[in-house]
Amino acid sequence: MKKATIKDIAKAADVSIATVSYILNDVKTQSISDETRVKVLKIAQQLHYVTNRSARSLKLQKTGLIGILLFRDIAPQPWSDLKYVKTLYTLERLCGELGYHVIFMQVDGDAPSYDMIRERNLDGVFLINVDQERFSSVTRFFGFGIPVFVIDSHIEDSLFHKIMPDFESSFRAAGALLGTAPEFLVMDAYNNAKLGDTVKQLSGLDEERIYVYESKEGLEDFLRKYTDCKGLVMNEFLANEVMRNRGTLERIAVLCTSHCPDILPIGVAKLSYELNDYKPVVGMMNGNIQDADYSNREKFIYLSVTS
Amino acid sequence: MKKATIKDIAKAADVSIATVSYILNDVKTQSISDETRVKVLKIAQQLHYVTNRSARSLKLQKTGLIGILLFRDIAPQPWSDLKYVKTLYTLERLCGELGYHVIFMQVDGDAPSYDMIRERNLDGVFLINVDQERFSSVTRFFGFGIPVFVIDSHIEDSLFHKIMPDFESSFRAAGALLGTAPEFLVMDAYNNAKLGDTVKQLSGLDEERIYVYESKEGLEDFLRKYTDCKGLVMNEFLANEVMRNRGTLERIAVLCTSHCPDILPIGVAKLSYELNDYKPVVGMMNGNIQDADYSNREKFIYLSVTS
DNA sequence: GTGAAAGCGCTAACAG
DNA sequence: CTGTTAGCGCTTTCAC
């Protein structure tokens, strides 16, 4: 039971393979008689024909594949694996809606190979949680020649689109939620150091009022200093950790950077980010793939806060 | 800056493309002089050559692609998206170690199309959380001609390998943990009805002592009947919900079917499943792909419990 | 309205 | 030890 090819269809329908291809791809510049069209279509169905993407990709130099490369946390936490699920799933869904298939890959180690991207001729890639260090090595020698969108990574290169939460608005909104400016901030580490710095700076808090999570003990020590203060926690999973420590999430506003507000108890002050904002993002990616000279407008895209 | 092909290498090294191919693929049946070998290898490097997988796949009728199809929960819960992350990530990692790339796809709707599998000529697929109903439609007409492993799905077809937690041992171990047989069970719904039934049956509990999660209210009603009883919760995310309801997880043993025991407070009685058990599974998949007549031994594989 | 044929980049059987 | 060549399945130009 071998797979049927257009050649098989051509033979069965007694037409040329070119004609079959025209019909299956609904090529507008060719006129095909309705008679042959239905005949071919029917036979294709009978033979359970599906197009062979390897062959088409080879010919067209377009694969219809989009890569999502997730960089593992340099400093792994129990919730590391949970952080980007929503992002991953959302991207997959949106790419799927546009007809793309998604190759998912975790990248690890300190000299990752990006060969897959070139071997598979990906049409575009999303990089999540990339650190500048491990990435600049590659972009130094060659870009990828394809659209690259980086998520939660402040990569210094105008080639790439950068997507991240709208931290600035977040801090404003959080202040409003607390009724006062927060006095401390607990945050999860980003692989990208620069992004971490940006966040700290935007929070408007002094360095010593910010704790970047490392361990339960470190957190405990830090929180002890702010027992009755109002504060901010970035990342809902980390917030759970904070709750265990403080016994409550009162006087705390949580920024749900992992898009999972639901895992928090009801009643907690929390802010989320619009997953729908990825729709235009994927649209842009698609635009870049279709038109070589698609207007690339903004290189920075911010996910909007919602409450 | 076009991508280099073996033809380019051949020209630059002044050898035939066959020779280049032999060298790059390290073909054992050919003997190549060290001189040409190093020459070719050097040039390949200089040109930043990577093999074009579309072309190779077309020729070899093997793509080096493995699909992971995740079936969305029919009855979605807030934690639905979190349930299979660990499984997904582990499978990707293991497939990657064997040189495969992974296509990830969520499947939804009630007449899903499996065309991708055939169009992309996947070498194998994992199906996660499949219900018999939506799946039998496809297997009725044609298998896929490739190894198919189903996870958390009790599909009635000897074609497929079925992987699931070792529920039987779990219940025994949970009993030991509680010091007595559990008096009730709260569980998360599986898409696969049959699997749900199996679990219920293995628990040894009467139907009315089992609650399959539907809503906060339903859970509340159910738990009220067992305030001081010892019980079992299947799935750690659901356990969090139970904790909010009961105020504690005392007298409860949790089966961490999502491999995320860490999200529970410390001190909770919990059981996990060996993610390492996926290693031989992926090995079997690989065996099936390499040898057409690989011994397929066991059709049922159980992930072992750990505490 | 339809078809012949080139060629995408690669592998491998066969010839030398 | 190395090269020639057919062919994987598809798209598309150009000719009829």
Side-chain angles (χ1 to χ4, degrees):
Chain A
M1 183 171 128
K2 272 203 71 219
K3 232 171 278 184
T5 70
I6 48 170
K7 202 167 162 186
D8 298 326
I9 302 180
K11 208 175 295 170
D14 198 33
V15 295
S16 78
I17 57 170
T19 305
V20 176
S21 175
Y22 293 142
I23 294 174
L24 293 178
N25 292 316
D26 201 23
V27 175
K28 301 300 183 190
T29 57
Q30 300 285 322
S31 40
I32 307 276
S33 75
D34 270 358
E35 191 187 1
T36 48
R37 166 171 271 113
V38 297
K39 182 170 60 174
V40 165
L41 252 20
K42 208 167 89 187
I43 293 180
Q45 195 137 47
Q46 281 168 357
L47 299 181
H48 292 299
Y49 173 81
V50 290
T51 123
N52 180 325
R53 296 274 206 154
S54 302
R56 173 188 282 174
S57 302
L58 179 57
K59 180 73 203 177
L60 297 190
Q61 307 284 36
K62 281 231 172 304
T63 53
L65 287 174
I66 286 182
I68 302 185
L69 305 206
L70 175 60
F71 285 66
R72 309 298 315 264
D73 274 358
I74 294 173
Q77 304 302 342
W79 57 84
S80 283
D81 282 347
L82 301 174
K83 276 165 42 174
Y84 290 105
V85 208
K86 288 280 184 178
T87 305
L88 171 63
Y89 287 11
T90 302
L91 288 176
E92 191 281 325
R93 198 169 38 71
L94 291 169
C95 290
E97 283 169 9
L98 293 177
Y100 294 98
H101 294 151
V102 162
I103 292 200
F104 168 60
M105 193 166 119
Q106 298 165 87
V107 353
D108 215 337
D110 34 45
S113 157
Y114 300 92
D115 285 352
M116 183 272 277
I117 299 177
R118 304 204 314 138
E119 289 184 9
R120 293 276 178 204
N121 288 297
L122 302 190
D123 287 346
V125 280
F126 288 99
L127 303 176
I128 305 180
N129 204 16
V130 204
D131 50 311
Q132 178 93 40
E133 299 71 43
R134 284 187 293 174
F135 190 61
S136 57
S137 63
V138 75
T139 160
R140 195 171 310 270
F141 291 112
F142 59 101
F144 293 103
I146 52 166
V148 175
F149 286 56
V150 297
I151 294 172
D152 277 5
S153 322
H154 201 307
I155 293 292
E156 296 274 19
D157 198 316
S158 63
L159 272 173
F160 313 116
H161 289 262
K162 299 165 244 304
I163 301 135
M164 57 191 78
D166 184 345
F167 293 115
E168 207 170 337
S169 306
S170 309
F171 288 124
R172 244 197 325 269
L177 221 53
L178 290 173
T180 164
E183 296 172 76
F184 68 93
L185 166 65
V186 178
M187 61 183 280
D188 202 18
Y190 285 102
N191 279 347
N192 192 285
K194 177 122 191 179
L195 183 61
D197 291 344
T198 306
V199 170
K200 288 181 185 174
Q201 203 212 306
L202 287 173
S203 76
L205 287 165
D206 288 344
E207 188 75 45
E208 81 263 15
R209 290 176 170 272
I210 301 176
Y211 178 65
V212 179
Y213 187 81
E214 279 180 2
S215 66
K216 276 189 170 43
E217 297 73 32
L219 178 65
E220 198 177 339
D221 289 347
F222 177 82
L223 285 178
R224 216 189 327 263
K225 295 187 279 184
Y226 298 99
T227 319
D228 292 315
C229 301
K230 291 188 174 181
L232 232 58
V233 178
M234 230 163 76
N235 190 295
E236 53 272 47
F237 298 108
L238 180 49
N240 261 337
E241 203 60 42
V242 170
M243 182 170 66
R244 277 169 211 162
N245 194 293
R246 278 195 146 202
T248 167
L249 280 177
E250 274 169 46
R251 298 182 302 285
I252 298 243
V254 182
L255 303 186
C256 300
T257 48
S258 293
H259 308 282
C260 295
D262 287 333
I263 66 134
L264 294 173
I266 41 176
V268 172
K270 54 193 165 191
L271 293 168
S272 267
Y273 299 92
E274 245 335 316
L275 274 172
N276 290 329
D277 286 357
Y278 276 116
K279 180 145 191 177
V281 168
V282 174
M284 275 178 79
M285 168 78 89
N286 187 42
N288 274 292
I289 292 171
Q290 306 300 336
D291 303 356
D293 40 33
Y294 176 83
S295 107
N296 271 348
R297 300 177 287 227
E298 271 315 313
K299 285 300 183 182
F300 282 90
I301 301 163
Y302 300 101
L303 303 181
S304 46
V305 232
T306 62
S307 45
Chain B
M1 182 170 127
K2 272 203 75 222
K3 233 171 277 184
T5 71
I6 48 170
K7 204 168 162 187
D8 298 325
I9 301 180
K11 208 174 295 169
D14 199 32
V15 295
S16 79
I17 58 169
T19 306
V20 176
S21 175
Y22 292 142
I23 295 174
L24 293 177
N25 292 317
D26 201 23
V27 174
K28 302 297 184 193
T29 57
Q30 299 286 319
S31 39
I32 307 276
S33 75
D34 269 357
E35 192 186 2
T36 48
R37 179 184 305 280
V38 296
K39 182 170 62 174
V40 165
L41 252 20
K42 208 167 89 185
I43 293 180
Q45 196 137 47
Q46 282 169 357
L47 299 182
H48 292 298
Y49 173 82
V50 290
T51 121
N52 180 325
R53 296 274 206 151
S54 302
R56 174 186 280 172
S57 303
L58 180 56
K59 178 73 204 178
L60 296 188
Q61 307 286 34
K62 280 231 172 304
T63 53
L65 286 175
I66 287 182
I68 302 185
L69 305 205
L70 175 60
F71 285 66
R72 308 299 313 267
D73 274 358
I74 294 171
Q77 302 303 341
W79 56 84
S80 283
D81 282 346
L82 301 174
K83 277 165 39 174
Y84 289 106
V85 208
K86 289 278 185 181
T87 306
L88 171 63
Y89 288 11
T90 302
L91 288 176
E92 190 282 324
R93 199 168 38 69
L94 292 169
C95 291
E97 283 170 9
L98 293 177
Y100 294 99
H101 294 151
V102 162
I103 292 199
F104 167 60
M105 194 166 117
Q106 297 164 87
V107 354
D108 214 339
D110 34 44
S113 157
Y114 300 92
D115 284 351
M116 184 272 277
I117 299 176
R118 305 203 313 139
E119 289 186 8
R120 294 277 178 203
N121 288 297
L122 302 190
D123 288 346
V125 280
F126 288 99
L127 302 177
I128 305 180
N129 205 15
V130 205
D131 48 313
Q132 178 94 39
E133 299 70 44
R134 284 188 294 175
F135 190 60
S136 57
S137 62
V138 75
T139 161
R140 192 171 311 270
F141 291 113
F142 58 103
F144 292 104
I146 51 167
V148 175
F149 287 55
V150 297
I151 294 172
D152 277 5
S153 322
H154 202 308
I155 293 292
E156 295 275 19
D157 197 316
S158 63
L159 272 173
F160 312 116
H161 290 262
K162 302 165 242 305
I163 300 135
M164 58 190 79
D166 183 346
F167 293 115
E168 206 170 339
S169 307
S170 308
F171 288 123
R172 243 196 325 270
L177 222 53
L178 290 173
T180 164
E183 296 171 78
F184 67 93
L185 166 66
V186 177
M187 62 183 280
D188 201 19
Y190 285 102
N191 280 344
N192 191 286
K194 177 123 190 179
L195 183 62
D197 290 345
T198 307
V199 170
K200 288 183 187 174
Q201 202 213 306
L202 287 172
S203 76
L205 288 164
D206 287 345
E207 189 76 43
E208 81 264 16
R209 289 177 170 271
I210 301 176
Y211 178 65
V212 179
Y213 187 80
E214 278 180 1
S215 66
K216 277 191 172 39
E217 298 71 33
L219 178 65
E220 198 177 339
D221 288 347
F222 178 82
L223 285 178
R224 216 190 327 263
K225 294 187 280 184
Y226 299 98
T227 318
D228 292 314
C229 301
K230 291 187 173 180
L232 233 58
V233 178
M234 230 163 76
N235 190 297
E236 53 271 48
F237 298 108
L238 179 50
N240 260 338
E241 203 61 43
V242 170
M243 181 171 67
R244 277 169 211 161
N245 194 292
R246 278 195 147 203
T248 169
L249 279 177
E250 274 168 46
R251 299 181 302 283
I252 297 246
V254 182
L255 303 185
C256 301
T257 48
S258 293
H259 309 280
C260 294
D262 287 334
I263 66 133
L264 294 173
I266 42 177
V268 172
K270 53 193 167 193
L271 293 168
S272 266
Y273 299 92
E274 247 333 316
L275 274 172
N276 290 328
D277 286 357
Y278 276 115
K279 181 145 190 175
V281 168
V282 174
M284 275 179 80
M285 167 78 88
N286 188 41
N288 274 293
I289 293 172
Q290 306 300 334
D291 303 356
D293 39 33
Y294 176 83
S295 106
N296 272 347
R297 301 175 286 227
E298 270 314 313
K299 287 299 185 184
F300 282 90
I301 300 163
Y302 300 101
L303 303 181
S304 47
V305 234
T306 62
S307 48

